[in-house]
Amino acid sequence: MSRKSEVFVVGGGPAGLSAAIVAAKLGARVLLVDDNPMLGGQLVKQTHRFFGSSARDAGIRGISIAEKLRMEAQAIKKNLVVQLNTSAVGFYGEGEAGILTPERYEKVTYERVIVGTGAVENSLNFENNDLPGIYGAGAVQTLMNVHGIRPGKRILMVGSGNIGLIVSYQLLQAGVEVVGVVEAMPTIGGYLVHASKIRRLGIPIMTGHTIVSANGDLGVTGATLCQLDEKYQRVPNTEFEIICDCICLAVGLSPLIELFQQASCKMVFVPELGGLVPLQDGNMRTSNPRVYVAGDASGIEEATTAILGGRIAGARAFESLHGPSSDAQKIVDDAAGELKSLRSGSTGNRIRWGRERVTQEIASC
Ligand SMILES: Cc1cc2nc3c(=O)[nH]c(=O)nc-3n(C[C@H](O)[C@H](O)[C@H](O)COP(=O)(O)OP(=O)(O)OC[C@H]3O[C@@H](n4cnc5c(N)ncnc54)[C@H](O)[C@@H]3O)c2cc1C
């Protein structure tokens, strides 16, 4: 089997979905694949009200933003084909990809590809970190909020960024006892509003601490923690055990970048963006002119910026095939303006530096 598309979009999260909607509405023939049974990416498990831009979806639950994007995609009667439960497994040669559907392996030929594969959760090195009962925060959200399954009865959260704090609160709402939140930094990483919610319920947030080991034979029965000094070194004789049957790691995300490497896109390690990312020109085009990037795959940020980056990628991929378009230019100008204001101020500093590095380095390629 072989399929043809002008614009092939990998990933149906907010980035890929927005890119596909824009490119199809402008008139490109688009094929979108996602390996999940439902469109929306991370949003399908995010039951909390979103932080982000007040002009775009802040205060709305992630699942509702996903629903809005799904309906927008469904309303496009022509040009957009969506194939769920399907993984893009490799890029071969110029403009060829392999996809794995539930039935078979197929070839896709394309003029442009937009990769919006999102991110993978980071793990941590500590003794016994492969015991059953140790999960990433995203996995816990999928279990609870998508499948209605509690991961355990007493859980220890590692990481006090927004994800750790939000997932702790969701665990409490689901009736799971959260025995504490451990944080290596001397201060809480996430927003105070999220931290206050769990502190009010008596959950200790142990800053300046880390996990030394998970304890148990066949599964988690506890965790040993210890204090850290200002150089993040363990303070001797400060170890203590906490009893729990589950450990949740919320220690960051890294962009999912294998497909860019297969497409020979030039990559750069940018800590501010979460790790290795493809160089791109500010219009989301990588060093391989057929390949565009959007969302967390271009650097870890959040859903609003993923949507806006996806809109730019969709519009520019369309223009690269069909020539300049005032509609496409307006989409890019609006999205770029919103991105600029979202990334302004001291909180946007790190991301702005990271983004500038990625676009400056491609100019010198
Ligand atoms: C717990 C948690 C809370 C968050 N809260 C907020 C918040 O309040 N506000 C906010 O703005 N952001 C929040 N975020 C971040 C936000 O969810 C992400 O930034 C956003 O979803 C990134 O969108 P994306 O489209 O790049 O990736 P994703 O949403 O991850 O979508 C990528 C999609 O691509 C699919 N995919 C990957 N590889 C392939 C492949 N090879 N073939 C086919 N499909 C593939 C994936 O399965 C997934 O469906 C939160 C994240 C988490 C984990």
Side-chain angles (χ1 to χ4, degrees):
M1 282 279 296
S2 176
R3 295 174 191 235
K4 274 193 176 146
S5 68
E6 277 184 306
V7 178
F8 176 41
V9 180
V10 183
L17 199 43
S18 302
I21 290 169
V22 161
K25 277 190 176 169
L26 286 169
R29 282 179 293 107
V30 179
L31 170 66
L32 166 70
V33 299
D34 190 281
D35 51 12
N36 284 296
M38 182 180 205
L39 286 173
Q42 294 282 332
L43 299 181
V44 304
K45 53 194 172 191
Q46 289 169 6
T47 50
H48 61 281
R49 292 182 197 281
F50 257 43
F51 50 82
S53 155
S54 53
R56 193 177 281 274
D57 300 331
I60 301 177
R61 296 182 198 284
I63 44 174
S64 307
I65 303 171
E67 183 58 23
K68 204 170 93 183
L69 288 171
R70 270 198 297 272
M71 284 169 62
E72 209 181 331
Q74 269 164 17
I76 301 172
K77 296 290 177 224
K78 54 176 195 173
N79 284 357
L80 176 58
V81 175
V82 174
Q83 173 85 42
L84 295 172
N85 295 308
T86 297
S87 300
V89 288
F91 288 159
Y92 311 101
E94 282 297 291
E96 282 184 3
I99 58 171
L100 192 61
T101 74
E103 290 82 34
R104 64 191 151 248
Y105 184 81
E106 296 180 20
K107 186 168 103 175
V108 173
T109 54
Y110 59 83
E111 302 294 327
R112 299 288 178 267
V113 60
I114 300 172
V115 181
T117 41
V120 279
E121 296 194 80
N122 295 339
S123 188
L124 256 192
N125 283 336
F126 55 89
E127 199 181 322
N128 278 338
N129 72 354
D130 59 350
L131 266 186
I134 302 176
Y135 297 88
V140 164
Q141 275 205 320
T142 306
L143 271 180
M144 285 197 310
N145 300 350
V146 179
H147 301 294
I149 297 167
R150 280 189 283 239
K153 293 193 172 109
R154 284 172 60 84
I155 199 161
L156 174 73
M157 179 65 66
V158 183
S160 75
N162 281 322
I163 294 180
L165 298 173
I166 288 168
V167 174
S168 294
Y169 190 66
Q170 291 178 351
L171 283 156
L172 291 162
Q173 286 177 312
V176 178
E177 187 184 348
V178 178
V179 293
V181 178
V182 191
E183 169 59 60
M185 290 196 306
T187 52
I188 294 170
Y191 295 155
L192 203 60
V193 59
H194 297 311
S196 303
K197 266 171 146 180
I198 60 169
R199 269 194 165 147
R200 274 199 296 271
L201 295 168
I203 314 303
I205 302 181
M206 294 167 269
T207 53
H209 283 77
T210 192
I211 178 165
V212 176
S213 67
N215 306 331
D217 293 325
L218 299 175
V220 173
T221 56
T224 300
L225 311 181
C226 80
Q227 264 181 40
L228 292 173
D229 64 20
E230 62 285 356
K231 290 185 176 155
Y232 295 97
Q233 301 300 308
R234 291 181 193 173
V235 179
N237 305 320
T238 56
E239 291 85 4
F240 61 99
E241 190 180 16
I242 281 199
I243 304 300
C244 57
D245 61 4
C246 206
I247 297 169
C248 181
L249 303 178
V251 289
L253 302 162
S254 300
L256 199 54
I257 40 94
E258 286 84 350
L259 290 175
F260 300 106
Q261 289 174 318
Q262 288 185 20
S264 303
C265 299
K266 293 207 165 67
M267 311 293 293
V268 60
F269 186 83
V270 185
E272 292 85 356
L273 300 181
L276 264 184
V277 288
L279 296 182
Q280 53 101 352
D281 63 0
N283 282 308
M284 314 310 280
R285 194 176 204 170
T286 69
S287 60
N288 177 339
R290 282 181 190 268
V291 184
Y292 289 70
V293 59
D296 279 354
S298 69
I300 307 299
E301 271 189 85
E302 33 100 7
T304 313
T305 49
I307 290 173
L308 295 168
R311 290 180 68 77
I312 293 175
R316 289 304 193 211
F318 168 82
E319 282 192 314
S320 72
L321 293 169
H322 295 271
S325 138
S326 54
D327 289 343
Q329 188 59 47
K330 179 163 178 9
I331 289 167
V332 171
D333 289 344
D334 290 350
E338 272 190 68
L339 280 173
K340 195 170 173 201
S341 88
L342 275 170
R343 291 173 183 154
S344 64
S346 55
T347 45
N349 269 347
R350 276 175 64 80
I351 294 290
R352 228 173 30 247
W353 291 331
R355 295 275 169 205
E356 276 164 17
R357 190 167 156 208
V358 161
T359 47
Q360 275 159 11
E361 287 205 17
I362 202 169
S364 60
C365 275

